[in-house]
Amino acid sequence: MNWDPDSCSYGHKRPFDDAQPPNIPEEFRKFVQDAIQVSHEFLEQSMGVANAVEKLPSMSPDICLVNFYGTSGKLGLHQDKDETKASLDKGLPVVSFSIGETAEFLYGDVRDVDKASKIDLESGDNHTVSAKMKALSMPGLILAVYVYLPSNAPPTVF
């Protein structure tokens, strides 16, 4: 699938060249599966969740969005509302890998940067959220990414 930012929708072809998007590389699928496994272990061992797989289902990714943030990039406060009902019903996770500059990831339930919770995501960090957990714990989840520590990305990234 391809995300078209102009129409704010997914499609089977890229609008700029009418080509199918490439398949997700097998290495990336393995990264996602490893991230979910680590999340299961964390939920069970550190959070006392009895059956983490029910809260965060295992899956093999079929969509991959790449957001690259350089020294001046950011993604303002927004809500991800484009998941299908079938995807939300399955509780399929959103698995994010940070590459590039360290970014401040904001999340909360109101559109107010000052009231948002914040975590730093460094190049190589993983952030995993189940759609089911997102819907149950914070149905109005609002997200943002702000780059704030320029020039700290690994030199091979740029």
Side-chain angles (χ1 to χ4, degrees), residues 3 10 78-84 88 111 134 139-141:
W3 173 253
Y10 290 101
H78 69 285
Q79 284 184 298
D80 291 335
K81 296 181 179 180
D82 301 300
E83 295 156 288
T84 65
L88 290 171
R111 288 186 182 270
K134 182 174 72 171
L141 184 65

Side-chain angles (χ1 to χ4, degrees), residues 65-126:
L65 295 177
V66 177
N67 295 319
F68 180 81
Y69 303 102
T71 56
S72 63
K74 69 179 183 177
L75 179 62
L77 289 168
H78 69 285
Q79 284 184 298
D80 291 335
K81 296 181 179 180
D82 301 300
E83 295 156 288
T84 65
K85 182 174 178 359
S87 174
L88 290 171
D89 289 347
K90 290 178 185 176
L92 297 176
V94 175
V95 181
S96 169
F97 296 97
S98 296
I99 301 171
E101 303 292 356
T102 296
E104 188 173 56
F105 179 80
L106 287 69
Y107 60 98
D109 59 0
V110 295
R111 288 186 182 270
D112 186 337
V113 171
D114 295 325
K115 293 181 180 176
S117 297
K118 300 169 183 151
I119 56 173
D120 290 349
L121 296 177
E122 296 179 355
S123 192
D125 282 352
N126 163 247

Side-chain angles (χ1 to χ4, degrees), residues 46-57:
S46 298
M47 304 297 289
V49 173
N51 189 353
V53 176
E54 287 182 10
K55 300 288 184 196
L56 183 71

Side-chain angles (χ1 to χ4, degrees), residues 7-61:
S7 67
C8 295
S9 63
Y10 290 101
H12 292 283
K13 301 226 177 184
R14 299 185 306 208
F16 60 90
D17 64 1
D18 208 33
Q20 278 192 310
N23 290 330
I24 297 173
E26 206 51 48
E27 295 85 358
F28 185 77
R29 290 180 188 277
K30 177 85 170 99
F31 290 155
V32 169
Q33 290 164 351
D34 289 349
I36 292 172
Q37 180 59 41
V38 168
S39 295
H40 287 161
E41 292 167 9
F42 173 79
L43 287 170
E44 290 170 353
Q45 294 171 7
S46 298
M47 304 297 289
V49 173
N51 189 353
V53 176
E54 287 182 10
K55 300 288 184 196
L56 183 71
S58 297
M59 59 83 130
S60 182

